[in-house]
Amino acid sequence: MTIDDLAGRLRTALGGKRVITDRQELRTYECDGLAHYKVTPALVAFPHTAEECAAVVRACVDASVPYVARGSGTGLSGGALPRADGVLIVTSQMRTIREVAPEDERAVVEPGVLNLQVTNAASPFGYYYAPDPSSQQICSIGGNVAENSGGAHCLKYGFTTNHVTGAQIVAPDGELVRLGGRALDAPGYDLRGAFVGSEGTLGVATEVTVRLVRLPESVRTLLAAFESTDRAGAATSAIIAAGVVPAAVEMMDVLAIEAAEAAVNCGYPAGAGAILIVELDGPAAEVDAQFDQVRRLCDDNGAFEIRIAADDAERALFWKGRKSAFAAVGRISPDYIVQDGVIPRTALPEVLHRIGEVSAAHGIRVANVFHAGDGNLHPLVLFDDAVEGEAERAEEVSGAIIDLCIEYGGSITGEHGVGMDKAKYMPRMFTDDDLDTMQLVRCAFDPDGLANPGKIFPTPRLCGEVPGRHKGAHPAQEAGLAEVF
Ligand SMILES: Cc1cc2nc3c(=O)[nH]c(=O)nc-3n(C[C@H](O)[C@H](O)[C@H](O)COP(=O)(O)OP(=O)(O)OC[C@H]3O[C@@H](n4cnc5c(N)ncnc54)[C@H](O)[C@@H]3O)c2cc1C
């Protein structure tokens, strides 16, 4: 079946307006938030229902055409990068909130629903949806599920996987199936758990059941300025060591502060080498007691100025600089790479020094913004594409930072996923056997390898191929169609 035939079949299933094949229109979908990778898809389809989504996947399977799911396209690892020979299934028109059930702390939503819409729908009942990526105003729940997204408040509340109890998905053979349910635990293998974080490689989510969390009685936020990231890091460790679990502990270094000031004029304390934003939430009495403790610990670790948000407006101002940090670096650098890695929290000062050394050795500036509480770094590697060689040196710095994360026992990604961008780093973190085992899971869901191929794994293993040591070449290898890593 040609793409034209496929387009005809999909137009019959969805209606003409919801299938795009015009080259100019297709270009809108050529990248996600990682805009330096661009591929124009062969076709874009906009299902409105789970059944339509299943019909699109079935048509792709019948035509042996690969497909990629896309929510809002804000992903930062190229996960929703289309295939030139494939179909992009865009869920942004599946935006119905089916149910808000405060009585059992659940909401049931379609995959294109935006993260913040869930909280907006739940808040009149005194509830909210806890995982809060900085992109929460625009990213979709389907994308959150696929990336197992995190956010500033995941330190206390956990990641997306801790807030999704069930999903309906179109499995890669085109069948609609349910994983998990409304309960926190289901008998049998945790297929819901396998699906969350699978980056569109195990099927397309068409409905998601999420947990709702009671809005806290009290929220208190402070902003502490330190002369260095060392001191701010020490304060973070001291807070956690004291047994306090803040809702969020976020750090920005001097360059990130400079960028935020230039972009949103957030008025952070002058002369700060690092700032911490610490937020506590929960019952008022507990929050008040712990807040005093946190303030003391910041003082003890050298904070030279501590501001306490007097009201919601001031809290929003503290967060404004932090939440705009990625975009803000555009004010101080024409181009930048957003890196995402994890280290043990206690290694923060050492790793930041090492990042400083790598940055100096390459003549490439790095601004650091991160979820300090859980050691999730977001170094922003700044460069100017117009200067010859800078993009390459920035890539080297970015890769070296990932190597540091692995060296210190961390991870190549904290929340942005592997996608196509970090597939090359997977063998640095995992052995061949590890990768083989992961691909067995993928093959169990998707034996034809049509669901978001080319993502996560540096070289996809063929289904049916025995993991471990290989004797002789697979026929597909001999035909030059596949490699074995
Ligand atoms: C300014 C900015 C700030 C950000 N801050 C954060 C942050 O704090 N924390 C964080 O974790 N991330 C953050 N991100 C990254 C991004 O917003 C998240 O990864 C988000 O979950 C992506 O959602 P999306 O709807 O845009 O997904 P897309 O980019 O459209 O897709 C992402 C992945 O999900 C898959 N996918 C999408 N929908 C489905 C579906 N229905 N079923 C199966 N697979 C699907 C795609 O194939 C792709 O692999 C940020 C991004 C930006 C631009």
Side-chain angles (χ1 to χ4, degrees), residues 69 71-76 79 133-135 140 143-144 146-147 149-150 199 203 205 415-416:
S72 302
T74 66
L76 292 171
S134 306
S135 51
S140 74
N144 291 177
E147 298 288 8
S149 293
E199 304 191 22
E415 53 186 18
H416 296 170

Side-chain angles (χ1 to χ4, degrees), residues 25 34 54 93 98-99 108 116 120 131 137 153 186-187 193 195 227 238 255 264 288 290 330 347 351 398 418 479 483:
E25 287 181 60
L34 192 66
Q93 296 181 13
R98 296 241 172 92
E99 189 187 349
V108 180
L116 197 56
N120 290 344
Q137 294 188 25
H153 293 83
F195 188 84
E227 71 185 25
L255 206 49
V264 295
D288 287 347
Q290 292 193 336
V351 172
S398 188
V418 178
E483 290 172 80

Side-chain angles (χ1 to χ4, degrees), residues 126-138:
Y127 285 83
Y128 74 113
Y129 179 59
D132 60 340
S134 306
S135 51
Q136 67 181 156
Q137 294 188 25
I138 44 168

Side-chain angles (χ1 to χ4, degrees), residues 199-356:
E199 304 191 22
T201 63
L202 303 185
V204 184
T206 49
E207 184 189 282
V208 184
T209 304
V210 299
R211 284 174 61 203
L212 298 176
V213 176
R214 192 96 184 120
L215 282 165
E217 182 190 357
S218 167
V219 181
R220 296 191 68 188
T221 311
L222 67 75
L223 187 151
F226 298 82
E227 71 185 25
S228 68
T229 50
D230 277 6
R231 287 186 181 267
T236 304
S237 294
I239 292 166
I240 305 288
V244 178
V245 184
V249 183
E250 298 287 301
M251 197 193 300
M252 292 166 72
D253 75 359
V254 66
L255 206 49
I257 297 169
E258 185 192 323
E261 291 294 352
V264 295
N265 213 358
C266 40
Y268 288 159
I275 59 135
L276 275 188
I277 298 174
V278 187
E279 189 156 283
L280 298 180
D281 68 9
E286 179 188 301
V287 168
D288 287 347
Q290 292 193 336
F291 199 74
D292 289 341
Q293 201 180 354
V294 167
R295 193 165 42 177
R296 217 174 27 253
L297 289 166
C298 286
D299 251 340
D300 293 349
N301 283 280
F304 67 79
E305 183 172 340
I306 296 179
R307 294 182 188 169
I308 294 166
D311 51 28
D312 286 351
E314 198 171 359
R315 174 177 314 116
L317 193 62
F318 288 1
W319 279 108
K320 193 172 171 190
R322 167 61 188 92
K323 293 214 170 188
S324 66
F326 289 1
V329 291
R331 295 294 184 111
I332 59 166
S333 174
D335 303 287
Y336 61 95
I337 299 168
V338 180
Q339 191 46 283
D340 163 46
V342 184
I343 53 165
R345 195 175 39 239
T346 45
L348 264 176
E350 212 173 315
V351 172
L352 289 178
H353 279 296
R354 300 270 309 267
I355 291 177

